[in-house]
Amino acid sequence: IGGVMDFHTKDARLSDTNKIRFNVNAMARYATANKENTGHLDFNIGFNKLAFLSSFTYSKYDDLMAGTIDGDTAYLRPTYQIAKDNKDTQVVNGNPSLQVNSKYSQINFMQKIVFAPTKRIKLDYGFHFSESSNAPRYDRLVTDANNDGKLDFSEWYYGPQIWQMHRLAFMHKGDNVFYNNLRVIAAYQHFEESRHDRRFNGTGSITSSAAKLRHQFEKLDAYSLNIDFDKKIGTKTSLFYGGEFVFNKVGSNSYRENIYTGEEEKLNPRYPNGS
Protein backbone atom coordinates (compact mmCIF):
# COMPACT_ATOMS: atom_id res chain seq x y z
CA ILE A 1 0.00 0.00 0.00
CA GLY A 2 1.46 3.35 -0.97
CA GLY A 3 0.56 6.76 -2.26
CA VAL A 4 1.20 10.47 -2.22
CA MET A 5 -0.72 13.29 -0.57
CA ASP A 6 0.31 16.43 -2.46
CA PHE A 7 -0.75 19.72 -0.84
CA HIS A 8 -0.34 23.16 -2.41
CA THR A 9 -0.92 26.56 -0.85
CA LYS A 10 -2.82 29.17 -2.83
CA ASP A 11 -0.98 31.11 -5.53
CA ALA A 12 -1.20 34.81 -6.32
CA ARG A 13 -3.07 35.02 -9.63
CA LEU A 14 -2.43 37.52 -12.40
CA SER A 15 -5.19 39.24 -14.33
CA ASP A 16 -5.72 37.94 -17.87
CA THR A 17 -7.72 41.01 -18.91
CA ASN A 18 -7.22 44.77 -18.77
CA LYS A 19 -9.14 44.89 -15.46
CA ILE A 20 -7.69 44.37 -11.98
CA ARG A 21 -8.39 40.89 -10.68
CA PHE A 22 -9.74 41.00 -7.12
CA ASN A 23 -10.92 37.96 -5.15
CA VAL A 24 -11.85 37.63 -1.48
CA ASN A 25 -12.53 34.50 0.57
CA ALA A 26 -13.70 34.49 4.18
CA MET A 27 -14.62 31.69 6.56
CA ALA A 28 -15.82 31.46 10.16
CA ARG A 29 -16.38 28.27 12.12
CA TYR A 30 -17.59 27.31 15.58
CA ALA A 31 -17.49 23.75 16.95
CA THR A 32 -19.20 22.64 20.16
CA ALA A 33 -16.88 19.71 21.01
CA ASN A 34 -14.03 22.03 21.98
CA LYS A 35 -15.65 25.47 21.63
CA GLU A 36 -13.50 26.09 18.57
CA ASN A 37 -13.49 29.60 17.12
CA THR A 38 -11.80 29.88 13.72
CA GLY A 39 -11.70 32.84 11.37
CA HIS A 40 -10.03 33.03 7.95
CA LEU A 41 -9.58 35.76 5.36
CA ASP A 42 -7.61 35.78 2.12
CA PHE A 43 -7.66 38.17 -0.82
CA ASN A 44 -5.94 38.40 -4.19
CA ILE A 45 -5.12 41.54 -6.17
CA GLY A 46 -3.87 40.80 -9.68
CA PHE A 47 -2.58 43.02 -12.47
CA ASN A 48 -1.27 41.85 -15.84
CA LYS A 49 2.30 41.41 -14.63
CA LEU A 50 2.07 41.73 -10.83
CA ALA A 51 -0.14 39.99 -8.28
CA PHE A 52 -0.47 39.87 -4.47
CA LEU A 53 -2.12 37.28 -2.24
CA SER A 54 -2.56 37.69 1.52
CA SER A 55 -4.01 35.03 3.81
CA PHE A 56 -4.67 35.00 7.59
CA THR A 57 -6.21 32.36 9.86
CA TYR A 58 -6.78 32.37 13.62
CA SER A 59 -8.03 29.38 15.60
CA LYS A 60 -8.74 29.05 19.31
CA TYR A 61 -9.65 25.72 20.92
CA ASP A 62 -10.94 25.20 24.47
CA ASP A 63 -10.72 21.98 26.48
CA LEU A 64 -12.11 19.07 24.47
CA MET A 65 -15.33 17.36 25.52
CA ALA A 66 -15.14 13.59 25.02
CA GLY A 67 -17.95 11.71 23.31
CA THR A 68 -20.21 9.23 25.04
CA ILE A 69 -18.13 6.67 26.94
CA ASP A 70 -19.69 3.28 27.63
CA GLY A 71 -17.79 1.05 30.02
CA ASP A 72 -14.13 2.04 29.58
CA THR A 73 -13.33 4.71 32.15
CA ALA A 74 -9.72 5.07 30.94
CA TYR A 75 -10.82 7.94 28.71
CA LEU A 76 -12.36 9.92 31.56
CA ARG A 77 -10.61 12.75 33.44
CA PRO A 78 -11.85 12.29 37.03
CA THR A 79 -9.23 14.65 38.51
CA TYR A 80 -6.84 17.32 37.33
CA GLN A 81 -3.93 19.23 38.82
CA ILE A 82 -3.65 22.86 39.92
CA ALA A 83 -1.05 24.88 41.84
CA LYS A 84 -2.47 26.13 45.14
CA ASP A 85 -0.84 27.48 48.32
CA ASN A 86 2.68 26.86 46.95
CA LYS A 87 2.05 23.19 46.26
CA ASP A 88 0.43 21.00 43.64
CA THR A 89 -3.12 19.93 44.41
CA GLN A 90 -5.28 17.32 42.74
CA VAL A 91 -8.92 18.39 42.46
CA VAL A 92 -12.07 16.56 41.41
CA ASN A 93 -13.27 17.25 37.88
CA GLY A 94 -16.94 18.23 37.98
CA ASN A 95 -17.39 16.74 34.50
CA PRO A 96 -15.03 13.78 33.95
CA SER A 97 -15.73 13.85 30.18
CA LEU A 98 -14.13 17.31 29.95
CA GLN A 99 -10.45 16.87 29.04
CA VAL A 100 -9.06 19.66 31.22
CA ASN A 101 -5.78 21.15 29.97
CA SER A 102 -6.14 20.33 26.27
CA LYS A 103 -6.79 23.84 24.91
CA TYR A 104 -4.52 25.94 22.69
CA SER A 105 -4.65 28.54 19.92
CA GLN A 106 -2.83 29.17 16.64
CA ILE A 107 -2.31 31.82 13.96
CA ASN A 108 -1.22 31.35 10.35
CA PHE A 109 -0.22 34.04 7.86
CA MET A 110 0.87 33.84 4.24
CA GLN A 111 1.94 36.52 1.75
CA LYS A 112 2.71 35.81 -1.89
CA ILE A 113 3.90 38.12 -4.66
CA VAL A 114 4.17 37.16 -8.34
CA PHE A 115 5.95 39.21 -11.00
CA ALA A 116 5.85 38.12 -14.66
CA PRO A 117 7.65 40.71 -16.83
CA THR A 118 7.28 38.50 -19.93
CA LYS A 119 5.35 35.38 -20.90
CA ARG A 120 8.51 33.32 -20.47
CA ILE A 121 9.77 34.65 -17.12
CA LYS A 122 8.06 34.56 -13.70
CA LEU A 123 9.30 35.43 -10.22
CA ASP A 124 7.36 34.07 -7.25
CA TYR A 125 8.00 35.16 -3.63
CA GLY A 126 6.26 33.60 -0.64
CA PHE A 127 6.36 34.32 3.09
CA HIS A 128 4.78 31.89 5.56
CA PHE A 129 4.37 32.32 9.31
CA SER A 130 2.71 30.05 11.85
CA GLU A 131 2.69 30.27 15.67
CA SER A 132 0.83 28.35 18.35
CA SER A 133 0.23 29.14 21.99
CA ASN A 134 1.48 26.82 24.71
CA ALA A 135 0.04 23.38 23.94
CA PRO A 136 -0.51 20.93 26.85
CA ARG A 137 0.76 17.37 26.46
CA TYR A 138 -2.55 15.89 27.54
CA ASP A 139 -1.53 12.22 27.57
CA ARG A 140 1.25 12.97 30.07
CA LEU A 141 -0.99 15.08 32.30
CA VAL A 142 -3.38 12.15 32.86
CA THR A 143 -0.65 9.55 33.48
CA ASP A 144 -0.67 7.58 36.75
CA ALA A 145 2.01 4.96 36.06
CA ASN A 146 1.90 3.16 39.41
CA ASN A 147 -1.90 3.42 39.83
CA ASP A 148 -1.63 5.08 43.24
CA GLY A 149 -4.36 7.59 42.45
CA LYS A 150 -1.87 10.46 42.17
CA LEU A 151 -1.08 12.04 38.81
CA ASP A 152 2.58 11.78 37.78
CA PHE A 153 3.02 15.26 36.33
CA SER A 154 1.96 18.69 37.47
CA GLU A 155 3.04 20.42 34.24
CA TRP A 156 3.80 19.09 30.76
CA TYR A 157 3.37 21.39 27.78
CA TYR A 158 4.95 22.46 24.52
CA GLY A 159 5.93 26.10 24.33
CA PRO A 160 4.92 28.21 21.33
CA GLN A 161 5.78 26.39 18.12
CA ILE A 162 6.92 28.89 15.49
CA TRP A 163 7.64 28.32 11.82
CA GLN A 164 8.44 30.87 9.15
CA MET A 165 9.71 30.56 5.61
CA HIS A 166 10.93 32.91 2.90
CA ARG A 167 10.80 31.33 -0.56
CA LEU A 168 11.86 32.85 -3.88
CA ALA A 169 11.30 31.00 -7.17
CA PHE A 170 12.48 31.89 -10.67
CA MET A 171 10.86 30.16 -13.65
CA HIS A 172 11.82 30.42 -17.31
CA LYS A 173 10.26 28.81 -20.34
CA GLY A 174 13.13 28.28 -22.75
CA ASP A 175 13.54 26.88 -26.20
CA ASN A 176 17.16 25.77 -26.37
CA VAL A 177 19.27 22.62 -26.33
CA PHE A 178 19.39 22.52 -22.50
CA TYR A 179 15.78 22.89 -21.37
CA ASN A 180 12.21 23.79 -22.16
CA ASN A 181 11.51 24.76 -18.56
CA LEU A 182 13.87 25.97 -15.84
CA ARG A 183 12.94 26.44 -12.18
CA VAL A 184 15.20 27.75 -9.41
CA ILE A 185 13.93 27.86 -5.81
CA ALA A 186 15.81 29.38 -2.88
CA ALA A 187 14.31 29.12 0.62
CA TYR A 188 15.08 29.92 4.23
CA GLN A 189 13.11 28.39 7.10
CA HIS A 190 13.24 29.05 10.82
CA PHE A 191 11.70 26.75 13.44
CA GLU A 192 11.32 27.20 17.19
CA GLU A 193 9.86 24.75 19.69
CA SER A 194 10.22 23.89 23.36
CA ARG A 195 9.16 21.31 25.94
CA HIS A 196 8.45 21.95 29.61
CA ASP A 197 7.64 19.38 32.30
CA ARG A 198 7.60 18.98 36.09
CA ARG A 199 6.63 16.07 38.33
CA PHE A 200 3.70 16.36 40.74
CA ASN A 201 4.85 18.02 43.98
CA GLY A 202 2.15 17.30 46.52
CA THR A 203 4.33 18.24 49.51
CA GLY A 204 5.26 21.70 48.28
CA SER A 205 8.88 21.10 49.29
CA ILE A 206 11.20 23.59 47.58
CA THR A 207 14.05 21.06 47.65
CA SER A 208 12.08 18.26 46.04
CA SER A 209 13.01 17.25 42.49
CA ALA A 210 9.32 17.76 41.67
CA ALA A 211 9.78 21.48 42.45
CA LYS A 212 12.01 21.80 39.39
CA LEU A 213 10.57 22.60 35.99
CA ARG A 214 12.61 21.23 33.07
CA HIS A 215 12.88 23.45 29.99
CA GLN A 216 14.12 22.27 26.58
CA PHE A 217 14.45 24.79 23.75
CA GLU A 218 15.18 24.04 20.10
CA LYS A 219 15.79 26.31 17.13
CA LEU A 220 16.50 25.28 13.56
CA ASP A 221 17.62 27.33 10.57
CA ALA A 222 17.21 25.54 7.24
CA TYR A 223 18.62 26.81 3.94
CA SER A 224 17.86 25.19 0.59
CA LEU A 225 18.52 25.77 -3.11
CA ASN A 226 16.83 23.69 -5.80
CA ILE A 227 17.39 23.77 -9.58
CA ASP A 228 15.24 21.74 -11.98
CA PHE A 229 15.34 21.40 -15.76
CA ASP A 230 13.09 19.52 -18.14
CA LYS A 231 13.72 18.97 -21.83
CA LYS A 232 11.47 17.28 -24.35
CA ILE A 233 13.44 14.99 -26.66
CA GLY A 234 11.30 13.82 -29.52
CA THR A 235 7.60 12.97 -29.26
CA LYS A 236 7.83 10.22 -26.64
CA THR A 237 10.87 11.07 -24.53
CA SER A 238 11.50 13.76 -21.91
CA LEU A 239 14.58 14.40 -19.79
CA PHE A 240 14.36 15.71 -16.22
CA TYR A 241 17.49 16.68 -14.29
CA GLY A 242 18.62 19.08 -11.60
CA GLY A 243 20.26 19.44 -8.21
CA GLU A 244 19.54 20.46 -4.63
CA PHE A 245 21.53 21.83 -1.71
CA VAL A 246 20.22 21.72 1.88
CA PHE A 247 21.91 23.01 5.05
CA ASN A 248 20.48 22.78 8.58
CA LYS A 249 21.83 24.50 11.71
CA VAL A 250 20.48 23.25 15.03
CA GLY A 251 20.35 25.23 18.26
CA SER A 252 19.43 23.34 21.43
CA ASN A 253 19.67 24.08 25.15
CA SER A 254 18.09 22.82 28.33
CA TYR A 255 17.96 23.68 32.02
CA ARG A 256 15.95 22.91 35.14
CA GLU A 257 14.34 25.76 37.12
CA ASN A 258 13.23 25.66 40.75
CA ILE A 259 9.74 27.23 40.61
CA TYR A 260 10.00 28.50 44.19
CA THR A 261 13.52 29.96 44.28
CA GLY A 262 14.16 30.63 40.59
CA GLU A 263 17.47 28.78 40.83
CA GLU A 264 18.60 27.19 37.55
CA GLU A 265 20.80 24.21 36.77
CA LYS A 266 22.16 23.37 33.33
CA LEU A 267 21.09 20.12 31.63
CA ASN A 268 22.29 18.28 28.56
CA PRO A 269 20.42 19.58 25.49
CA ARG A 270 17.99 17.41 23.58
CA TYR A 271 20.14 17.66 20.42
CA PRO A 272 23.82 18.58 19.92
CA ASN A 273 23.85 22.39 20.10
CA GLY A 274 25.35 24.06 17.02
CA SER A 275 25.31 20.89 14.90
Side-chain angles (χ1 to χ4, degrees), residues 43-58:
F43 59 91
N44 183 94
I45 301 175
F47 303 93
N48 292 124
K49 297 183 179 181
L50 187 65
F52 303 88
L53 172 72
S54 299
S55 174
F56 179 80
T57 305
Y58 173 76

Side-chain angles (χ1 to χ4, degrees), residues 27 29-39 57-65 99 101-108 132-136:
M27 182 272 287
R29 180 173 62 224
Y30 176 78
T32 57
N34 55 2
K35 297 181 181 177
E36 174 198 356
N37 289 277
T38 292
T57 305
Y58 173 76
S59 296
K60 182 179 180 181
Y61 308 92
D62 209 330
D63 292 331
L64 182 65
M65 180 69 73
Q99 298 180 351
N101 290 330
S102 59
K103 59 186 175 184
Y104 74 100
S105 62
Q106 183 168 330
I107 61 171
N108 296 285
S132 72
S133 66
N134 288 342

